[in-house]
Amino acid sequence: MRPLRRHATTLLLVVLAAAAAVALLVLDRGSVSTDEAERRKKHLLEAWRPDEITELTVTMASPGAPQTARLTRGEVDDAGQRPWNVEIDGHRYPADEPTVDQLLGTLEFATAERRVSAEASDPAALGLASPRLSIALAMGPRRERLLLGGGAPTPPGAVYAEVAGRGVFVITKQLASALDVPPDRFRSRSFVPYVAAELSGLTLDGDGGSRRFSRAPWGGGRGAGFRFAEGSPEGSGVRVSAPALDLVLSALGRMQADAFLSEEEARQAAVSGGPRVTLTLEPSDPAAKRGVIDVGGACPGRPDHVVAVRREPTRAAACVPESVLDPLTEEAPRFVDLALVAAPLDEVAEVKLAAGERSLELARAGSEWHLRAPQDRPVPTETGRALVQAILDVRATHLLPGASDVAALGLASPRATLRVVSTPPGAASEGEPQERIETLEIGAEQAGVVHVRRLEDGAIAEIPALAAGALLPSEVSLRSMKVFDFTPDQVSALRIERPGLVQRLRRTDEGAWRLIEPSGDGLEADGGLADELAELLAGLQAERWMTAYADQSYGLGAPRLTVEAELDPATESGAGSTGAATRAARVELGARAGAGSFARAGDGAAVFVAPSSLEAAAGRLLLRRDVFLVPPHEIARVTLAPRGAKPVVLERSAEGFTIAGAADRARATALAAGVRDALADLRAEGAVALGEPERHHGLSPPRLRISVELSRPQAAPAEDSDAVPPRAPAGSFTIAIGAGDAFRGTNVVYARRDGVRAVYAIAQSRVRPLLEAAGIAGD
């Protein structure tokens, strides 16, 4: 005890010192240090400690009662954040975090233009006795209060502001505007109570019928993890189309409140239009309440918005974008997944096709692919991707009822199976399987169709027999995607054959193209179109390989289109190889295969899918498209003769082109200039027919006849020249404009020029100035 007594005084002094330090720290928290004061001497608020901010109150004056938003900071949540809540008119809501953060950032860096002297700081005169805005801030033990009053004389738009305990200042118009946030803006705009990852089920009722979806055991992100709920007419457990449901989930994400409505406003909207869709959200958390939202009805004062009323778990009404209704009103069949394999390409890790003793097994390693069976070897990236993409592209024409006779459909003993292993993103973190395994059973062909059973959901799909080839093991599918291996400049001649037409072109020594067949007045080759076709052939790649042997089902017994390129051995092997044998590259196009066509090359029997660009380039007439162009400096007179109306004559003068006899000289000059420019830009989209026009071309008689008289006669073009469009020998020619139509995605009119035995399509936009000058309304 003696040692303890000996040190009692010392221990007491230590305790008292510690207590004093704690008291000093607590009391000093509200004060501003010298360094802090110096650092923030130009700011309105002399202290800023964001971690200590717990409360923010914004009060705005209004014609009625003042509007107040009281914001309080919550406890740390699972994400390590302290979310804000807002209380408005006695009701508590989640706060709009970006709006709160923006106001806090404005307060932190707010500076004054100048200080107002104490003698001039009359609150009533400066509008501070009844401020238009009050902001109160609780920051630890400190309490800050900022008031905005009336306008200051300078700078323009400036406002008086008072900081409690510091005095009155003048702030800029920009700062005042940033601080002037209406209290209801602090309420979160989020209207839907749950995000997709939190849902176990989703129901849509109203326009589009009743559609009920539930979370599926196979997992997957967003819409990929849902199926039709039990008792659905589409089939209990049938897989839902991920892209279709993703549109619904995206609509929920866009269902942000543009403006909140009172109960009376929501009731009036319901009376006037009523909801079109009722959305029911079932949360995965058993403790959470379901969400029920009615959507539809005109939103007062917002024609491009509709009313959304959230009935559960909390009540609210708001105006939301009208566009959210479109995916919510789609009928149930649009949500049925007709794809045989749901996994996207970038998630596929393994593919195994098996039929009897034949099998093909492919695995991904990063971005590369490796063949495991029937051989062990690497596979070119593009080849592996093409094989997998071909499988993913197969879609059912429809799904059969669940009670179908599997034996009658050839599925009791399937002829082949397909197994696809994929790795959905984030599966492990969400507690879902790390791998998704999809297995298909493929039945035998029956009357041009094949039935396939998806074991994942038990659905039986019917697909065209041609599409089933992508689901069967075949080593031809692992061929290089490159069909031909030569360069465009090696092509010395082209031959394109389709029923009723053969086109032959040959390259001249100068590199231009000469039309050999068909022959006729004014017909010449279009060098640009011929070069494009030669380039496509030289770089031709298969979209995918189908089978080693073609049968009649691919349409190659009587091809729709045959394209052959003659290759010049001199350009292929160098000038010293002129004695080498000329070879050819030949490709035949058969039946359609989606956007492309089934095809085979040369004498080979293997079938591949050729891209649509090949048929687009080879399936047109390769005739020059500039036959209607007229250089402005060669024009002497133009006569526009509309059908059944008085001709309009345009003449060249020293001042330029004008319409003869026009009363309004300025307008006539403008129209004439438009005609001149249009004739200089009258390039056709392409030739559409040879010989005489047909009835639907509308050229007998034409809608408009354009007679062009040239200032000097034109010499006939050289035999191999493609520099000058064909000219009539008398120094003038006529263009006939016929009916409108669509050609390769462009609105066109049919046209013909005398001396050229072909009908062309010209874009309506190029012809419009000619029609307007002739007094023809519209196109």
Side-chain angles (χ1 to χ4, degrees), residues 168-242:
V168 179
F169 303 85
V170 173
I171 63 174
T172 63
K173 175 183 177 181
Q174 292 75 18
L175 175 56
S177 178
L179 294 170
D180 204 357
V181 182
D184 64 353
R185 285 283 302 279
F186 291 103
R187 185 176 174 181
S188 173
R189 305 286 118 179
S190 296
F191 196 77
V192 178
Y194 306 111
V195 298
E198 298 172 329
L199 295 179
S200 66
L202 171 68
T203 301
L204 302 171
D205 288 304
D207 290 7
S210 179
R211 294 134 294 164
R212 295 183 295 129
F213 313 118
S214 63
R215 182 71 68 176
W218 51 78
R222 291 179 63 81
F226 285 84
R227 59 184 175 180
F228 282 93
E230 185 176 352
S232 296
E234 293 70 31
S236 299
V238 169
R239 198 168 66 204
V240 171
S241 167

Side-chain angles (χ1 to χ4, degrees), residues 362 368-371 377-385 478:
L362 195 67
E368 303 297 321
W369 291 92
H370 193 92
L371 185 66
R377 63 178 175 85
V379 172
T381 300
E382 63 176 13
T383 303
R385 288 180 64 88
L478 295 175

